[in-house]
Amino acid sequence: MHFSRFSLLALLAASLSSAMAQEQPPAPADTANGELQRIVDVQSTRDPDLRPYRTMLKGVDAYADHLRLAPNAPLRFMLIPASASGKLDGVTLHLAADNLSIPIPLAANGSFTLARDKAAYDANADLVSNKKRDTVRWRADIHTPGLPGNVRRLGDLRMECEIRWAVEQDQLSFVRRNLFRLAGGPCHSSLIHVPFPVFRTLLAVQARSGERTAAIRVTDDQQRYVPPLHDLTWDDDTLLTLTYADDSTVATTAPAAPSSTQ
């Protein structure tokens, strides 16, 4: 029994470090361009970035299944550069299949919504960007309205984790996927730490629930923090305040989610 437990923990330690890979925070998108509505020929870019529409809809389903985590937060996804030097300049999204092309409007910060579309589902469409593969990444973008820009709600972060796991788990190997499940899943296990990237250098993150406070771990590079997703003694309304190295002024209120035509 002791050997089996040790072996499982060793496999988890070896596998979880690379699965659900830690994202390097990208440079902020240029917000001066307004809504990115331009349509280009996605076939003109070699090796475009693809994600099956049906796979992305698993994230939409996860949002519906876990709505209690963030009941007031709209569902949006975020398109981000894969590296800090990457840009979203000129990026577009389409749902594409044979004889089907449906543009997906992008906000200036790279966020977008994804509606259910029977034609796209039946055609097994892909969500296609005009950027080369591995130059952009996808994230859930869940923000309860009205919070300061440097404050995250723990339930919102838990929802982001559930959506990401629903979308990405099938991309893992059979062994790695089942190791995650044996551990309880990335959003529920103390064995698995899910870092959240930020756009600026962090000094500290503090959690507060009522009169209870605690320091939240910041990674050594000061570009990510690790919220207590699994720890239910911190309720979903727990607020995490992020303090940045250049934090002489902080936005007072998080921007409202952009409107969508989808």
Side-chain angles (χ1 to χ4, degrees), residues 4 19 23 45 71 78 87 90 99 112 114 141 146 155 207 211 250 256 258:
S4 297
E23 297 168 346
T45 301
M78 180 76 74
K87 301 291 184 182
N99 302 315
F112 62 98
L114 202 59
D141 184 42
E211 297 301 315
V250 176

Side-chain angles (χ1 to χ4, degrees), residues 63-64 66-76 141-147 152-153 155-157 159-160 163 257:
Y63 173 81
H66 297 89
L67 191 58
R68 60 177 177 77
L69 296 174
N72 299 314
L75 171 60
R76 294 188 71 83
D141 184 42
I142 305 298
H143 286 79
T144 294
L147 293 177
R152 295 301 313 268
R153 181 179 172 278
D156 295 359
L157 299 177
M159 175 71 89
E160 288 186 9
I163 293 170

